[in-house]
Amino acid sequence: MKVEALDKFWADKSRYALAEKQFYEGPQKIDGVTLDDGSKSALAQRLSQLEGENKDLKSQVSSLSQLLNAVVKRLDTVEAQLKLTNGVSKQPVAEAKKPEASDKDDDDDVDLFGSESEEEDGEAARIREERLAAYAAKKAKKVQIIAKSNIILDVKPWDDETDLKVMETEIRKITQDGLLWGASKFVPVAFGIQKLSISCVVEDDKVSIDWLTEEIEKLEDFVQSVDIAAFNKI
């Protein structure tokens, strides 16, 4: 019995040792590949393939990240432009017509949508200036009609002893821009008394008839009165 038990003990021990050896050194598999069956090269190829796929995935993730950043920046720019456009459209019409000095102060501001309007405003201003210049030139060439009047004055002296020639000389000394003395003659009145009938041409805008008669009546040593014998527009 002792011999049988001893044989059994050694037999069990041998089986245990074999099982332990197989456990630590026996066939092992990783992802379906057995390590001790001569397929280690297949495992290496599989690991290399996994590394390549991992590298591709990292590259794709990096590209997607760059694309996402570009899209975010573009959205920020569009949002800023929309805010600027809404701000301009809400301004009153009176503010849109600012003086040129204010426009120059705003040159530093970014104007994304106003360049075409500025070009149109500049073109309209140029056309307006050309038309004004053409109108001024046409007006300058146009002959202006000066309103004139032909007047005959009857100047009566105090008596028959008044020297009519001296009186006429004194009257012709009255000068004014727009006054031109003409022909004259002595006309008998009564009792040997004569009056001076003298003509003149005056520009209506420069010489007043009332002023002219008052100036003649200032010659009190010669003139008794002045009457308008004829008045004709030229």
Side-chain angles (χ1 to χ4, degrees), residues 175-194:
T175 59
Q176 175 70 20
D177 184 23
L179 171 62
L180 178 63
W181 292 108
S184 64
K185 63 180 180 178
F186 299 128
V187 180
V189 178
F191 306 106
I193 299 175
Q194 293 181 326

Side-chain angles (χ1 to χ4, degrees), residues 149-168:
S149 299
N150 186 14
I151 305 171
I152 298 177
L153 301 173
D154 284 345
V155 183
K156 296 178 181 179
W158 286 105
D159 51 36
D160 58 350
E161 295 181 357
T162 302
D163 192 341
L164 297 182
K165 291 183 178 181
V166 176
M167 184 177 68
E168 180 183 357

Side-chain angles (χ1 to χ4, degrees), residues 3-220:
V3 174
E4 292 178 356
L6 184 59
D7 292 338
K8 185 178 180 181
F9 171 76
W10 286 110
D12 292 339
K13 185 176 182 180
S14 297
R15 286 195 300 270
Y16 175 77
L18 180 60
E20 184 178 9
K21 183 178 180 181
Q22 290 178 351
F23 178 77
Y24 287 104
E25 299 179 1
Q28 297 183 12
K29 294 182 179 181
I30 297 178
D31 197 13
V33 179
T34 304
L35 296 179
D36 61 347
D37 61 354
S39 302
K40 291 183 179 181
S41 60
L43 177 61
Q45 292 178 357
R46 184 62 182 273
L47 290 175
S48 178
Q49 181 181 358
L50 291 174
E51 288 179 355
E53 292 177 355
N54 186 34
K55 187 175 181 180
D56 292 339
L57 288 174
K58 287 183 178 180
S59 177
Q60 294 179 5
V61 170
S62 177
S63 299
L64 290 174
S65 178
Q66 293 177 358
L67 181 61
L68 179 61
N69 291 334
V71 172
V72 171
K73 290 182 180 179
R74 179 61 179 172
L75 289 176
D76 292 340
T77 302
V78 173
E79 184 179 0
Q81 293 176 354
L82 290 176
K83 289 181 178 179
L84 180 60
T85 305
N86 293 334
V88 172
S89 61
K90 293 179 180 179
Q91 291 180 354
V93 177
E95 293 183 3
K97 298 181 179 179
K98 293 183 179 179
E100 293 181 1
S102 300
D103 294 338
K104 292 179 180 179
D105 294 337
D106 296 337
D107 287 341
D108 295 334
D109 296 339
V110 178
D111 189 5
L112 299 176
F113 305 98
S115 58
E116 183 176 355
S117 298
E118 291 177 358
E119 292 178 358
E120 293 178 355
D121 293 341
E123 182 67 15
R126 184 185 65 80
I127 294 174
R128 183 175 64 254
E129 292 298 331
E130 290 179 354
R131 290 180 177 176
L132 289 175
Y135 174 76
K138 182 178 180 181
K139 186 176 181 181
K141 293 180 180 179
K142 186 177 180 180
V143 178
Q144 295 183 354
I145 300 176
I146 301 175
K148 295 182 180 181
S149 299
N150 186 14
I151 305 171
I152 298 177
L153 301 173
D154 284 345
V155 183
K156 296 178 181 179
W158 286 105
D159 51 36
D160 58 350
E161 295 181 357
T162 302
D163 192 341
L164 297 182
K165 291 183 178 181
V166 176
M167 184 177 68
E168 180 183 357
T169 301
E170 294 298 323
I171 291 174
R172 291 183 181 275
K173 289 180 180 180
I174 300 173
T175 59
Q176 175 70 20
D177 184 23
L179 171 62
L180 178 63
W181 292 108
S184 64
K185 63 180 180 178
F186 299 128
V187 180
V189 178
F191 306 106
I193 299 175
Q194 293 181 326
K195 65 180 179 181
L196 172 65
S197 178
I198 185 170
S199 65
C200 64
V201 176
V202 299
E203 294 182 15
D204 297 342
D205 293 338
K206 296 181 179 181
V207 180
S208 169
I209 302 303
D210 294 335
W211 171 85
L212 182 57
T213 56
E214 289 176 359
E215 290 296 315
I216 295 174
E217 289 176 348
K218 287 180 181 181
L219 301 174
E220 297 178 352

